[in-house]
Amino acid sequence: MTSIQFSSVLLEKNSRSLSYPSLYCRATGDVVEDKIDGAWLLYDKGTYDFSTYFNSLSVQKLQHYTRATKYVLHLELKGAGLTVQQTKGGVFSAHPEPVGEPRALPANDEWQTMDIDLHIDHDAVIVGFIFETEGRVALRNSYYALEVEGDLRPVELALATTTFKKESYIKRNIGLIKGNILAGTDDIAKHFHMYVIDNGRTLDVDELSDEHVTIRPNENVGGAGGFTRGMLEAMGQKTPATHVLLMDDDVAVSPESIKRTYNLLRILKDEYADAMISGAMLNYEIGEDQWEDSGYMSDAGAFRPAKPPLRLTQFEDVVYNEAFKIPKDIRPEQRYSAWWYCCIPTEVIREEGLPLPLFVRCDDGEYGTRCRRELITMNGLCIWHMAFNLRYNAAVERYQTTRNTMIAQCTTGFAKRSDFLQELHHNVVLELKKFAYANAELCLDAFEDFLKGPKFIAQPGAAEESFMRANRNKEALVSFDELQQQAESLHIDGFDVSQITRQLVDGDRPRTISQRLQDYVTDNGQRLMKTEGRGYAVIPMIGWVYPAGVIRGKKYLIVIDWYSKRGAIRTKDVDAYKRIARRYSRDLRYYKRNIDRLRTEYAAARDELTSVAYWKHYLQMD
């Protein structure tokens, strides 16, 4: 048997822990950092419950995926007397359930240690512990230890992050890695390297690099190119990495998540040695909300989270998050792990090839479904990322997503069950109904670039230029002051930007069956029964929103990006609608005549586009 310190009892002092302390500890008293003693003070007499997202132990998954045979809670404490009660969470647990008898520890001004063998019931999903204190107690160096059958796996972990002119985010994360992982005494410090692929070439290489952190200036090749560069660097280092952890730059991360990932890799069963570890995305703005914990492609061709939204300060959601079983209608070949936090064995990369040169969007989805490996998720393995609705970009969602999903499906068989042609049709019609003619044309730009075949995407520089073109061609937003001026020049009676409220922007109204049918047949009065429209409506800028009731029959739509305080005015234009409809029909005819040839050409290009030789040339590494 081998013993391993698997996960630390985690308390942090940052904006998330201060705003959402129940991610760490539910307490009736204050929990305060003692900077002098390097400990945490449970400041008052009371109850301190560590059966939480970060401080419970996911025993059900550990039993399933790892060789762990015994679980021990190690505590170091001093101060007032207290009792320690082991808890568990079962599938039907609404609150932490006590397990066994509480253990008492008398008051002492010197540090005391306590090791508790944890009892694992047959229905335990997670286990944790609760303190009942008689006064102030200090806590330090506490953790869950596991006894493991056999030797620990040798792991060389490389972290690869791609950045483009987001210096504040990346410098903060480098500092966290250096201060909490590389400067520590844990085993990971000797088997870890961080690669920062700087697509913007704005970071100071000499200032930030050291023996364990490499800043690599790179051409602007998007996330796909940057992460591929990280993979190549990891596999080519002096002691080749066994695993590469891909992580976005504009995220907040707890170093403890990385440590737990490393420890998990060391104790996996043989049948899960090639699994990918997928970290959850929590909402950067609402830090207790989980946005996605692995995803999948729907049959309709949309990216979807595999789990429903969860609030991870709630005990029942913490349990649900671990007990969740992927529904049978989500096929394994449709699932993926997003690259905001995804750990991939380098042996899998050697077997399956490198990513496709897609620049941004769908690169992670394509790669995950291509590799078809087990996806391991676990409480405490996560990052905080800005929610997608806060950073909607039509150049990404209408151009990149449309083009890349079609390319990926033809090249590597990505999401075979998904109908991306139907998704294209849905998006084009949706944008036309909302008079978003520029964004509808982005969909067709993407479709036509897909129709050019693999030679187009294979050209170095083509992906960046096409994305820059899409950003130039997307609908332009202006400040609220300029928006008011535009409304006045168009004689839009009654519009006053100072009176805009969130309620107005997000509002809608119901439609009758006959109104719904009319809107469907006429695309909001732009075909067959053409109408000029009257008045205006205020709607959100986000592309997938369809406030059908308020937009019907209008001449102007004033779109608002609430978060950037910018907007645009769309004017109903039947001529523009007809031009785009004709273009779409022409593209569909070409697609139907040539799709078999295109599928053959894309499939034939797969080996080249995912090869080391191709990527080294693409990245100018040869």
Side-chain angles (χ1 to χ4, degrees), residues 217-462:
N218 203 44
E219 294 297 319
N220 185 20
V221 287
F227 284 126
T228 301
R229 179 70 181 264
M231 292 177 179
L232 290 170
E233 296 281 355
M235 293 189 293
Q237 65 188 29
K238 185 176 180 180
T239 301
T242 60
H243 297 78
V244 57
L245 172 58
L246 308 181
M247 190 175 79
D248 273 351
D249 60 338
D250 54 346
V251 301
V253 64
S254 170
E256 175 67 17
S257 292
I258 299 173
K259 293 179 183 179
R260 293 180 186 181
T261 298
Y262 175 81
N263 291 330
L264 181 59
L265 294 172
R266 301 175 77 199
I267 62 175
L268 290 174
K269 294 176 179 176
D270 289 344
E271 57 263 42
Y272 299 113
D274 65 348
M276 294 183 182
I277 297 177
S278 177
M281 173 187 163
L282 277 57
N283 190 330
Y284 195 93
E285 296 292 307
I286 309 172
E288 62 187 335
D289 287 357
Q290 182 171 277
W291 183 278
E292 181 175 309
D293 191 22
S294 84
Y296 74 100
M297 296 304 303
S298 72
D299 289 356
F303 295 85
R304 293 285 183 262
K307 298 179 181 179
L310 297 175
R311 180 147 289 178
L312 298 177
T313 52
Q314 304 301 311
F315 179 77
E316 58 268 35
D317 280 9
V318 173
V319 176
Y320 183 89
N321 202 35
E322 294 299 85
F324 184 87
K325 304 296 183 185
I326 300 297
K328 291 182 179 179
D329 61 343
I330 300 179
R331 301 297 183 93
E333 64 269 22
Q334 299 285 112
R335 291 188 65 208
Y336 65 89
S337 171
W339 285 354
W340 50 66
Y341 192 104
C342 177
C343 187
I344 308 172
T346 51
E347 189 58 36
V348 170
I349 298 171
R350 293 186 182 93
E351 291 177 9
E352 302 293 342
L354 293 163
L356 290 174
L358 299 177
F359 200 76
V360 295
R361 206 72 168 104
C362 188
D363 44 1
D364 50 2
E366 183 280 320
Y367 201 74
T369 61
R370 187 205 311 177
C371 293
R372 289 283 300 275
R373 296 314 198 269
E374 183 82 14
L375 300 182
I376 299 176
T377 66
M378 188 172 287
N379 282 344
L381 305 184
C382 66
I383 52 86
W384 286 264
H385 203 303
M386 194 70 73
F388 295 126
N389 63 319
L390 301 187
R391 52 194 181 97
Y392 181 85
N393 182 345
V396 172
E397 302 300 338
R398 293 302 183 235
Y399 178 80
Q400 291 290 140
T401 300
T402 301
R403 186 197 70 184
N404 292 350
T405 50
M406 291 184 167
I407 289 174
Q409 190 172 63
C410 286
T411 307
T412 65
F414 165 65
K416 291 181 180 179
R417 293 171 58 88
S418 299
D419 188 345
F420 295 117
L421 193 65
Q422 179 61 33
E423 176 72 354
L424 168 69
H425 179 77
H426 169 79
N427 290 335
V428 169
V429 172
L430 178 60
E431 297 291 19
L432 289 175
K433 284 181 179 179
K434 297 190 296 181
F435 313 154
Y437 305 112
N439 293 344
E441 295 210 76
L442 284 182
C443 295
L444 299 185
D445 290 344
F447 191 34
E448 290 164 8
D449 283 348
F450 157 73
L451 296 174
K452 293 174 182 176
K455 291 183 180 178
F456 170 75
I457 197 66
Q459 304 170 64

Side-chain angles (χ1 to χ4, degrees), residues 22-40:
S22 295
L23 287 169
Y24 303 84
C25 177
R26 300 182 193 90
T28 59
D30 293 331
V31 180
V32 180
E33 183 181 20
D34 182 354
K35 294 184 178 179
I36 297 176
D37 207 8
W40 288 86

Side-chain angles (χ1 to χ4, degrees), residues 84-325:
V84 184
Q85 174 67 64
Q86 182 195 331
T87 64
K88 76 166 186 178
V91 173
F92 296 107
S93 298
H95 305 284
E97 300 178 18
V99 177
E101 295 298 319
R103 293 270 300 271
L105 192 69
N108 199 317
D109 291 335
E110 300 297 324
W111 287 104
Q112 304 180 80
T113 62
M114 176 184 285
D115 290 300
I116 301 174
D117 291 344
L118 298 172
H119 178 73
I120 310 303
D121 291 348
H122 71 280
D123 64 339
V125 176
I126 63 173
V127 297
F129 61 97
I130 296 175
F131 292 144
E132 291 286 350
T133 68
E134 298 172 4
R136 186 173 304 172
V137 172
L139 171 72
R140 73 175 186 185
N141 299 335
S142 298
Y143 54 82
Y144 291 101
L146 312 182
E147 286 192 8
V148 180
E149 191 175 72
D151 296 331
L152 300 178
R153 293 181 180 278
V155 173
E156 294 290 334
L157 181 60
L159 169 64
T161 185
T162 301
T163 188
F164 183 80
K165 298 181 179 178
K166 293 178 180 175
E167 295 85 355
S168 61
Y169 282 99
I170 201 66
K171 287 182 179 180
R172 180 193 61 206
N173 287 338
I174 291 172
L176 286 173
I177 297 298
K178 288 183 175 181
N180 294 275
I181 293 179
L182 296 172
T185 59
D186 295 329
D187 189 74
I188 187 175
K190 298 177 288 188
H191 302 281
F192 182 87
H193 198 101
M194 181 178 188
Y195 294 96
V196 178
I197 311 303
D198 182 15
N199 284 351
R201 296 176 175 252
T202 57
L203 297 176
D204 188 323
V205 175
D206 294 332
E207 174 193 357
L208 298 173
S209 296
D210 61 22
E211 181 184 0
H212 297 288
V213 176
T214 298
I215 310 298
R216 191 68 74 196
N218 203 44
E219 294 297 319
N220 185 20
V221 287
F227 284 126
T228 301
R229 179 70 181 264
M231 292 177 179
L232 290 170
E233 296 281 355
M235 293 189 293
Q237 65 188 29
K238 185 176 180 180
T239 301
T242 60
H243 297 78
V244 57
L245 172 58
L246 308 181
M247 190 175 79
D248 273 351
D249 60 338
D250 54 346
V251 301
V253 64
S254 170
E256 175 67 17
S257 292
I258 299 173
K259 293 179 183 179
R260 293 180 186 181
T261 298
Y262 175 81
N263 291 330
L264 181 59
L265 294 172
R266 301 175 77 199
I267 62 175
L268 290 174
K269 294 176 179 176
D270 289 344
E271 57 263 42
Y272 299 113
D274 65 348
M276 294 183 182
I277 297 177
S278 177
M281 173 187 163
L282 277 57
N283 190 330
Y284 195 93
E285 296 292 307
I286 309 172
E288 62 187 335
D289 287 357
Q290 182 171 277
W291 183 278
E292 181 175 309
D293 191 22
S294 84
Y296 74 100
M297 296 304 303
S298 72
D299 289 356
F303 295 85
R304 293 285 183 262
K307 298 179 181 179
L310 297 175
R311 180 147 289 178
L312 298 177
T313 52
Q314 304 301 311
F315 179 77
E316 58 268 35
D317 280 9
V318 173
V319 176
Y320 183 89
N321 202 35
E322 294 299 85
F324 184 87
K325 304 296 183 185

Side-chain angles (χ1 to χ4, degrees), residues 383-600:
I383 52 86
W384 286 264
H385 203 303
M386 194 70 73
F388 295 126
N389 63 319
L390 301 187
R391 52 194 181 97
Y392 181 85
N393 182 345
V396 172
E397 302 300 338
R398 293 302 183 235
Y399 178 80
Q400 291 290 140
T401 300
T402 301
R403 186 197 70 184
N404 292 350
T405 50
M406 291 184 167
I407 289 174
Q409 190 172 63
C410 286
T411 307
T412 65
F414 165 65
K416 291 181 180 179
R417 293 171 58 88
S418 299
D419 188 345
F420 295 117
L421 193 65
Q422 179 61 33
E423 176 72 354
L424 168 69
H425 179 77
H426 169 79
N427 290 335
V428 169
V429 172
L430 178 60
E431 297 291 19
L432 289 175
K433 284 181 179 179
K434 297 190 296 181
F435 313 154
Y437 305 112
N439 293 344
E441 295 210 76
L442 284 182
C443 295
L444 299 185
D445 290 344
F447 191 34
E448 290 164 8
D449 283 348
F450 157 73
L451 296 174
K452 293 174 182 176
K455 291 183 180 178
F456 170 75
I457 197 66
Q459 304 170 64
E464 179 187 11
E465 172 52 36
S466 60
F467 184 50
M468 291 173 64
R469 182 190 68 212
N471 272 298
R472 291 192 298 269
N473 292 342
K474 70 183 180 183
E475 179 177 58
L477 303 180
V478 300
S479 68
F480 280 178
D481 287 343
E482 188 172 348
L483 190 71
Q484 183 68 53
Q485 294 173 9
Q486 290 181 3
E488 291 171 0
S489 67
L490 291 169
H491 305 292
I492 300 178
D493 294 334
F495 177 72
D496 183 351
V497 72
S498 67
Q499 298 302 308
I500 290 178
T501 64
R502 189 70 176 271
Q503 182 180 3
L504 174 64
V505 174
D506 291 342
D508 198 4
R509 62 172 63 102
R511 295 177 296 167
T512 65
I513 294 176
S514 63
Q515 288 174 333
R516 292 166 64 92
L517 179 62
Q518 183 182 37
D519 293 344
Y520 174 78
V521 171
T522 69
D523 284 347
N524 197 8
Q526 296 176 95
R527 61 189 293 266
L528 301 178
M529 299 168 56
K530 302 172 186 175
T531 61
E532 182 179 348
R534 299 177 60 184
Y536 73 93
V538 179
I539 65 172
M541 179 271 296
I542 300 171
W544 47 73
V545 174
Y546 180 39
V550 299
I551 70 172
R552 69 180 318 273
K554 296 298 187 290
K555 181 175 183 177
Y556 301 105
L557 297 180
I558 302 175
V559 295
I560 299 295
D561 180 6
W562 186 263
Y563 303 97
S564 70
K565 295 182 173 58
R566 298 171 68 82
I569 298 177
R570 300 171 181 169
T571 304
K572 188 174 189 178
D573 186 342
V574 174
D575 289 337
Y577 173 91
K578 290 167 57 178
R579 173 175 51 79
I580 295 169
R582 286 194 299 267
R583 180 184 173 190
Y584 181 33
S585 297
R586 183 185 68 241
D587 289 347
L588 285 176
R589 290 194 297 271
Y590 183 89
Y591 171 87
K592 292 174 182 178
R593 291 195 303 268
N594 292 277
I595 185 57
D596 290 339
R597 172 184 60 81
L598 287 166
R599 286 177 178 146
T600 300

